[in-house]
Amino acid sequence: MRFQKKKISNGQIITPYRIIPGGTVLVEGNKILAVSEYDIPVSDALEIDAGGRYVAPGFIDLHIHGGGGSDFMDGDVEAFLAVAEKHVQYGTTSMVPTTLSSDTASLMDAVQLYDKAHALNKRGSEFLGIHLEGPYFAMNQRGAQDPRYIRNPEPAEYRAVLESTSSVVRWSAAPELPGSLEFGRYLRSKGILAAIAHTDAIYEEVLEALECGYTHATHLYSAMSGVTRKNAFRYAGAIESAFLLDEMTVEIIADGVHLPPPLLKLVYKIKGADKTALITDAMRAAGMPPGESILGALNNGLKVIVEDNVAKLPDRSSFAGSVATADQLVRNMVQLADVPLIDAVKMITSTPAAIMNVADRKGALVAGKDADIVIFDADINMDMVMVGGNLLYQAQHQKQLHEAGR
């Protein structure tokens, strides 16, 4: 029997402002019908007992490359679906699939594959659009991006990509490159989020970029300039610029490795939960055992080794990618950075929803919004994950209760 209505009761409901103990969430179809601090009598509904656990909006990952052994650059639709199905187990109900720097043909292929996968994705995290990370980066800040493909913005290229699809929702670039300001203005005219990334920009360049549409900072601190010196003079880098410019939102890889606890605390203290989104930036090794893996496409990606909860270059000279999952991000902000649970959840729900301009339908447990809901315990272990009203993940005891209720 497929229930049109679902009733979640006996949970601690997390809103952006408070936690409602013993509350109830009622779902009908793919939407939230009601949220109450009291019991809501209803018949013919699937009853889900939260057992005193936390009930929160589904997690939104703005920046993710892969997981479960697959990557969005693998060149097939199945890889897209596999990543979405893997990460839903960890509470990610919406994601923005992200590419790596590549040639024009590969960019076009990734976008076209995204469009095909989007129509087929029924068992995983919902796709909110595609994020093109690169190839317009500063060579000095390329990180693990393939140097063969790093280049300045090319109007003929990016216009052709964007004319081929309406699915690109964000594009990350270094704002100091020749042509980057024009690129930012073009993205803004298309309603696409422009973000600074892999950049050596100083404050004056970031400020001008902000005025041209670059309102977001990609993985703050990672592949990004800090204070620099030219002769005797010091210049504020992109990191300090993101802190100083109140209008700019940021995202952080809160895996506890890319940013250690003091930096997690610093970002939260300066930018706050309303301006900071948590991202996994996960590669294919997320959700997999430690060992050797590949960053990027299987056929021509970069060999890496996963250890200490992070991917590294084989010589261990640098990090080469994140293997985080969304539950770990929230857990780390609470346990490592001493952030209140309400704010940690906000940083992966309502804040990314606002950044991606989907707050009208996602990011909060409010009547009328999408029924993207997670239930987890005090250690942020997932008990249940619902996407659009569909139960896509249940812990074993919840499965048993579900079967008993049929």
Side-chain angles (χ1 to χ4, degrees):
M1 177 179 178
R2 185 179 177 88
F3 292 93
Q4 179 68 8
K5 291 183 180 179
K6 299 177 180 69
K7 176 182 173 181
I8 302 172
S9 58
N10 190 28
Q12 300 186 65
I13 300 174
I14 300 177
T15 79
Y17 314 105
R18 61 173 176 148
I19 295 178
I20 302 173
T24 304
V25 179
L26 186 61
V27 169
E28 184 170 18
N30 63 350
K31 298 291 182 180
I32 298 172
L33 187 62
V35 179
S36 175
E37 49 192 311
Y38 305 106
D39 181 62
I40 303 175
V42 61
S43 58
D44 299 324
L46 172 66
E47 301 269 353
I48 300 172
D49 184 356
R53 297 174 181 83
Y54 293 102
V55 182
F59 299 160
I60 302 172
D61 193 351
L62 300 184
H63 185 158
I64 177 172
H65 295 274
S70 297
D71 187 282
F72 295 124
M73 297 299 287
D74 280 348
D76 64 77
V77 168
E78 290 305 316
F80 275 81
L81 302 179
V83 177
E85 291 171 22
K86 185 64 176 180
H87 281 275
V88 80
Q89 303 173 32
Y90 303 101
T92 300
T93 58
S94 299
M95 63 169 56
V96 182
T98 301
T99 65
L100 289 168
S101 295
S102 61
D103 57 31
T104 307
S106 296
L107 278 181
M108 298 288 275
D109 287 346
V111 170
Q112 291 167 8
L113 286 170
Y114 169 87
D115 288 335
K116 293 177 182 178
H118 185 268
L120 298 173
N121 183 19
K122 307 297 182 185
R123 301 190 301 273
S125 311
E126 180 184 347
F127 296 146
L128 297 180
I130 193 166
H131 168 208
L132 304 183
E133 186 182 8
Y136 312 136
F137 288 150
M139 184 65 75
N140 189 50
Q141 294 284 1
R142 66 185 182 275
Q145 300 272 343
D146 194 325
R148 293 176 296 172
Y149 304 119
I150 302 299
R151 55 193 182 273
N152 294 337
E154 300 175 2
E157 178 181 57
Y158 62 70
R159 286 174 181 266
V161 171
L162 296 179
E163 286 169 3
S164 73
T165 182
S166 60
S167 297
V168 177
V169 292
R170 63 174 290 193
W171 201 322
S172 294
E176 74 275 16
L177 300 178
S180 283
L181 298 184
E182 177 188 351
F183 178 48
R185 290 190 291 267
Y186 186 75
L187 292 178
R188 182 169 59 186
S189 75
K190 297 292 186 181
I192 297 168
L193 176 67
I196 66 170
H198 294 266
T199 173
D200 264 328
I202 61 173
Y203 174 80
E204 289 75 12
E205 292 167 324
V206 176
L207 177 58
E208 190 173 11
L210 177 63
E211 295 169 343
C212 291
Y214 290 87
T215 59
H216 186 67
T218 297
H219 47 50
L220 186 68
Y221 277 104
S222 298
M224 185 174 289
S225 59
V227 175
T228 57
R229 288 186 64 165
K230 296 180 182 180
N231 297 320
F233 297 94
R234 288 184 177 86
Y235 294 84
I239 297 167
E240 293 78 24
S241 302
F243 284 145
L244 284 169
L245 298 169
D246 292 339
E247 298 83 1
M248 184 167 282
T249 55
V250 304
E251 65 188 35
I252 55 174
I253 307 169
D255 61 357
V257 184
H258 279 80
L259 296 188
L263 292 184
L264 296 176
K265 293 177 181 180
L266 181 65
V267 175
Y268 173 71
K269 183 174 184 177
I270 297 176
K271 295 300 289 187
D274 292 325
K275 294 287 186 177
T276 306
L278 307 180
I279 62 162
T280 63
D281 196 13
M283 55 166 289
R284 75 172 66 249
M288 302 289 285
E292 294 184 355
S293 187
I294 296 175
L295 176 65
L298 275 176
N299 61 346
N300 63 359
L302 179 69
K303 290 185 178 180
V304 300
I305 185 166
V306 178
E307 62 183 12
D308 302 323
N309 297 314
V310 71
K312 303 174 185 177
L313 295 178
D315 65 2
R316 294 174 173 80
S317 63
S318 176
F319 295 152
S322 162
V323 295
T325 52
D327 59 330
Q328 293 173 345
L329 306 179
V330 177
R331 186 181 304 117
N332 287 343
M333 293 307 294
V334 173
Q335 297 181 358
L336 302 181
D338 302 324
V339 172
L341 179 61
I342 287 177
D343 278 357
V345 168
K346 180 185 291 187
M347 295 162 78
I348 201 165
T349 56
S350 59
T351 296
I355 292 170
M356 295 311 305
N357 199 30
V358 295
D360 60 325
R361 57 191 177 93
K362 295 190 180 294
L365 298 180
V366 174
K369 293 197 178 188
D370 293 352
D372 299 340
I373 303 170
V374 295
I375 300 176
F376 54 81
D377 64 18
D379 290 322
I380 328 296
N381 296 307
M382 288 299 134
D383 195 61
M384 185 215 76
V385 181
M386 180 185 294
V387 179
N390 296 313
L391 295 175
L392 297 188
Y393 173 78
Q394 295 171 283
Q396 190 58 43
H397 73 93
Q398 277 289 2
K399 289 181 181 177
Q400 294 167 353
L401 289 174
H402 189 180
E403 293 295 331
R406 284 185 174 179

